Amino acid sequence: AAAAGGRASTPGEWLRVFEKLSKFRLSAFVASTATAGYVVGSGESVDWAGAGYVTLGTMLASSAANTLNQVYERMNDGRMTRTMKRPLPAGACSVPQALAFAAACTVTGVGVLATFSGTEAAVLGAGNIALYAGVYTPLKQMSVANTWVGAVVGGVPPLMGWAAAADGLQPGALVLAGLLYCWQLPHFMSLAWMHREDYARGGFRMLPIMDATGRRVANVALRNSLALLPLSYAAYALGVTTELFAWESAAFALALTMSSAAFRIRLSNATARTLFLTSLGYLPMAMAAMCWHRLPNADAAERETAGARAHAEGTGASAVAGPATNVLGARSAADEDMPAALALEQLSLAPFPFLPPPMLPERSLRLRRGGVEGGAGVAKGGGGEGASAGGGESALGAAAVRGVAAGSASVKR
């Protein structure tokens, strides 16, 4: 059994393996930031189907990146208490199986993004997988700069959501990315400080390991917490949200800043845990407030208006072109009650404008139930009425034929 250190065999065990390889909860959290980016980057209305597609694509891309990270770090994870029960060090799956899962997530995730969310979102998704697995992951064993690279990776998903909603990126999208980037540093510094001995056993070069006093760690956390304050106002200044969001987000950022300051004043696992928990509360509240107080993205709204106008023009053109099918006298359901004699008048319309109009009787025609009524052309008696009407239509038909013949002769001359 996988739980006892053996290879996964049942469907339930494989589901747990895939859950751990993808870091399901972390990937779902990352995907939620893409959803927020889509909502904030939308125009007057939100296409929830589109939001679902970019969320799914981001979830799969994050799952692929996390799996590749575990493939690369499987030996390091086996030495750390926090990670030794992951599928690869625990023997629940093999490296080829993990790579197959990562490949499936990559192809499916990027495919969903390319098909339903646009080229920019797909390129950002594929690039973020490469940045996380190809740069951030190996850098963790080489330099403390890995944390800043990882913060960049975390700022990309909301850009994916915005690009999918607005068919491109505008300056307001950078506010979302900036919030994610700055938030990650106090979040991770507090986590790394609490697990610094474990990271050291794993062979990772993290700032809390290199900074024995913890001052640089605390300064990084405090500095980036403070940076969230002007970013709150930037969202309002750039027309991304209403002014109310600036105040609410500033209040959230102030709580995070106070926790960072407390961590700097008294470096301990207790203050680090408080900072970590505060950071967990900050981001969902800030993202929810931004979605709630968002202003319609002008570029996305303009695109929606242009699409609606094009659709309306196409519908209007179809409506205008529809009746033209009767130009040559073809009958529709609405024309069933039209007298046959009146239909002959349509022969003078395009596409034969060179023909003279039919030579109709001088008497005016009046529509009546059952046919054409005109002067003495209709008998007042029962059977005589039908005979007169039939004779009148024959005379009209002959007159029309004579008119067409005369027009053709004049054209030849």
Side-chain angles (χ1 to χ4, degrees):
R7 190 63 52 86
S9 56
T10 67
E13 289 174 351
W14 277 112
L15 281 177
R16 286 191 290 274
V17 166
F18 295 145
E19 178 188 2
K20 292 180 179 179
L21 285 175
S22 64
K23 298 182 183 177
F24 183 83
R25 288 186 295 178
L26 175 60
S27 292
F29 184 76
V30 170
S32 72
T33 67
T35 309
Y38 189 96
V39 172
V40 177
S42 296
E44 295 290 342
S45 60
V46 178
D47 178 7
W48 292 108
Y53 284 126
V54 77
T55 302
L56 175 62
T58 305
M59 177 80 181
L60 290 168
S62 177
S63 299
N66 286 324
T67 302
L68 291 173
N69 170 270
Q70 291 182 58
V71 170
Y72 189 90
E73 295 178 349
R74 61 190 183 278
M75 302 304 294
N76 307 78
D77 287 344
R79 297 193 293 267
M80 294 176 61
T81 304
R82 192 170 65 93
T83 59
M84 63 174 52
K85 293 183 179 180
R86 286 176 176 174
L88 286 168
C93 70
S94 66
V95 171
Q97 289 169 334
L99 289 174
F101 176 67
C105 289
T106 300
V107 172
T108 307
V110 176
V112 167
L113 292 170
T115 303
F116 300 104
S117 303
T119 303
E120 289 192 29
V123 170
L124 286 170
N128 220 30
I129 294 173
L131 184 61
Y132 186 88
V135 180
Y136 165 72
T137 296
L139 198 60
K140 287 170 69 177
Q141 301 178 46
M142 300 167 59
S143 170
V144 296
N146 71 82
T147 305
W148 282 263
V149 176
V152 172
V153 171
V156 172
L159 297 181
M160 295 164 61
W162 185 295
D167 198 23
L169 295 174
Q170 293 83 40
L174 298 178
V175 175
L176 272 170
L179 286 174
L180 265 295
Y181 175 88
C182 292
W183 165 82
Q184 283 178 97
L185 289 161
H187 172 78
F188 182 76
M189 289 300 167
S190 59
L191 177 67
W193 178 263
M194 290 187 291
H195 296 283
R196 58 191 182 278
E197 292 87 1
D198 215 13
Y199 277 116
R201 281 193 297 270
F204 296 111
R205 296 180 67 83
M206 300 296 176
L207 184 59
I209 299 172
M210 312 304 293
D211 177 27
T213 65
R215 290 300 176 187
R216 290 178 60 193
V217 174
N219 287 339
V220 169
L222 180 60
R223 185 166 58 246
N224 284 275
S225 297
L226 286 169
L228 292 170
L229 292 168
L231 281 172
S232 302
Y233 178 77
Y236 164 65
L238 290 173
V240 177
T241 66
T242 64
E243 184 179 3
L244 188 57
F245 168 77
W247 291 103
E248 291 177 354
S249 180
F252 302 150
L254 185 60
L256 189 62
T257 300
M258 292 175 65
S259 294
S260 297
F263 175 56
R264 188 182 186 283
I265 293 170
R266 183 171 177 268
L267 287 164
S268 67
N269 283 350
T271 54
R273 182 175 297 278
T274 300
L275 175 56
F276 179 75
L277 294 176
T278 305
S279 69
L280 287 179
Y282 167 83
L283 193 63
M285 291 190 295
M287 293 290 101
M290 180 172 279
C291 292
W292 182 259
H293 297 298
R294 80 178 187 92
L295 292 174
N297 181 5
D299 292 319
E302 182 179 351
R303 186 165 60 91
E304 291 174 3
T305 302
R309 187 183 302 116
H311 177 72
E313 289 174 354
T315 304
S318 299
V320 171
T325 57
N326 285 332
V327 164
L328 295 180
R331 293 299 185 93
S332 66
D335 296 334
E336 287 301 322
D337 293 332
M338 180 184 290
L342 289 183
L344 293 174
E345 292 182 347
Q346 298 179 5
L347 291 173
S348 64
L349 301 177
F352 303 112
F354 54 83
L355 296 179
M359 297 176 63
L360 298 177
E362 295 181 358
R363 292 187 300 273
S364 60
L365 296 173
R366 290 181 294 119
L367 290 179
R368 190 176 68 88
R369 287 185 181 178
V372 179
E373 180 181 2
V378 179
K380 300 298 184 182
E385 180 177 352
S388 298
E393 288 187 0
S394 299
L396 291 174
V401 171
R402 288 196 299 272
V404 172
S408 300
S410 64
V411 170
K412 291 179 179 179
R413 290 196 297 269

